[in-house]
């Protein structure tokens, strides 16, 4: 039975690496995976899923207005699709998450989504919120804070290294983010005095 999966983590946990490895395994077994990434990560008109380890793969782009169910169904009409992989799933709309659920329910194709759970303000992304609500399988991919605890939050830093506490939810420049545990995130954004217990 096909399922909708959501693998989530803070920044720099290896989400894209795991996605690319899983897609490779499908291909190595003679199957056809279909890869998607957010249009926010387009290089020209080309989608690219890349890992900090230096591996990358072309992917189809999706934007806010795209009907992912129809796109995947069109691919399925051309040739059998064995699995759908979605990188940067936090940028999916609520409707697109439901479209992906229909891919698993009605087209019987497993859909594996990978993305962030929360933004730099500690708020859920729309796509992540809907995936947490309706995905069949939730998987947390772990990374660590500088203190060694599990990192579940991210802060955004300005060019001067200061932690930003407001601004647009979406900023795709990865170098300005730092993964922290909840305790250190709360201190970094000023929600708890550093002198406290």
């Amino acid at each position: 039975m096909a399922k909708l999966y959501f693998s989530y983590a803070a920044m720099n946990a290896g989400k894209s690496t795991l996605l690319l490895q899983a897609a490779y395994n499908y291909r190595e077994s003679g199957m056809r995976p279909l890869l998607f990434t957010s249009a926010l990560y387009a290089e020209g008109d080309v989608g690219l899923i890349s890992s900090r380890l230096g591996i990358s793969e072309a992917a189809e782009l999706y934007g806010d207005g795209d009907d992912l169910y129809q796109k995947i169904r069109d691919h399925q009409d051309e040739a059998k699709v064995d699995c759908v992989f979605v990188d940067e799933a936090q940028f999916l709309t609520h409707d697109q998450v439901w479209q992906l659920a229909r891919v698993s329910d009605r087209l019987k194709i497993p859909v594996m989504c990978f993305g962030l759970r929360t933004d730099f303000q500690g708020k859920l992304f729309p796509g992540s919120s809907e995936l947490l609500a309706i995905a069949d399988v939730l998987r947390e991919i772990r990374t660590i804070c500088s203190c060694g605890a599990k990192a579940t939050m991210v802060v955004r830093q300005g060019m001067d290294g200061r932690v930003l506490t407001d601004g647009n939810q979406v900023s795709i420049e990865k170098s300005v983010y730092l993964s922290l545990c909840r305790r250190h995130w709360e201190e970094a954004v000023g929600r708890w005095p550093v002198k406290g217990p």
Side-chain angles (χ1 to χ4, degrees):
M1 182 173 172
K3 294 181 180 177
L4 174 61
Y5 298 82
F6 182 37
S7 297
Y8 62 90
M11 296 288 290
N12 303 322
K15 297 177 296 296
S16 297
T17 302
L18 290 171
L19 182 157
L20 293 169
Q21 178 183 344
Y24 175 84
N25 290 344
Y26 268 86
R27 234 179 260 103
E28 191 174 46
S29 297
M31 297 181 194
R32 180 183 177 218
L34 186 58
L35 280 65
F36 286 91
T37 193
S38 170
L40 295 170
Y41 287 87
E43 296 187 14
D45 288 335
V46 177
L48 189 67
I49 298 172
S50 59
S51 164
R52 289 175 295 120
L53 293 179
I55 57 175
S56 62
E57 189 169 333
E60 190 165 330
L61 295 171
Y62 69 85
D64 286 350
D66 291 333
D67 183 335
L68 295 179
Y69 177 84
Q70 191 59 52
K71 279 187 172 213
I72 295 163
R73 187 172 177 184
D74 291 346
H75 279 281
Q76 180 80 341
D77 289 345
E78 293 171 12
K80 184 175 189 259
V81 175
D82 293 294
C83 190
V84 174
F85 292 91
V86 181
D87 198 28
E88 306 299 348
Q90 69 270 12
F91 298 130
L92 293 166
T93 65
H94 292 273
D95 287 344
Q96 287 171 330
V97 172
W98 278 95
Q99 292 161 10
L100 293 172
R102 290 182 196 113
V103 168
S104 66
D105 295 343
R106 307 202 184 273
L107 300 180
K108 308 295 186 207
I109 302 170
V111 179
M112 298 188 182
C113 298
F114 294 77
L116 298 173
R117 184 180 62 166
T118 59
D119 66 13
F120 73 106
Q121 295 175 321
K123 298 185 183 343
L124 290 170
F125 283 96
S128 303
S129 171
E130 203 68 18
L131 283 162
L132 288 167
I134 71 167
D136 299 300
V137 178
L138 300 172
R139 297 178 182 162
E140 183 179 26
I141 302 167
R142 296 184 178 202
T143 191
I144 59 169
C145 178
S146 59
C147 71
K150 179 175 80 170
T152 58
M153 312 291 282
V154 294
V155 293
R156 184 187 293 168
Q157 295 175 315
M159 297 301 287
D160 60 1
R162 289 182 163 201
V163 172
L164 304 174
T165 57
D166 60 0
N168 293 332
Q169 185 177 48
V170 177
S171 174
I172 63 170
E173 179 54 52
K174 292 182 181 180
S175 63
V176 298
Y177 289 95
L178 180 65
S179 295
L180 299 173
C181 66
R182 184 178 56 238
R183 175 178 169 236
H184 285 118
W185 176 85
E186 197 171 37
E187 290 173 4
V189 300
R191 290 174 52 131
W192 184 262
V194 176
K195 296 178 184 175

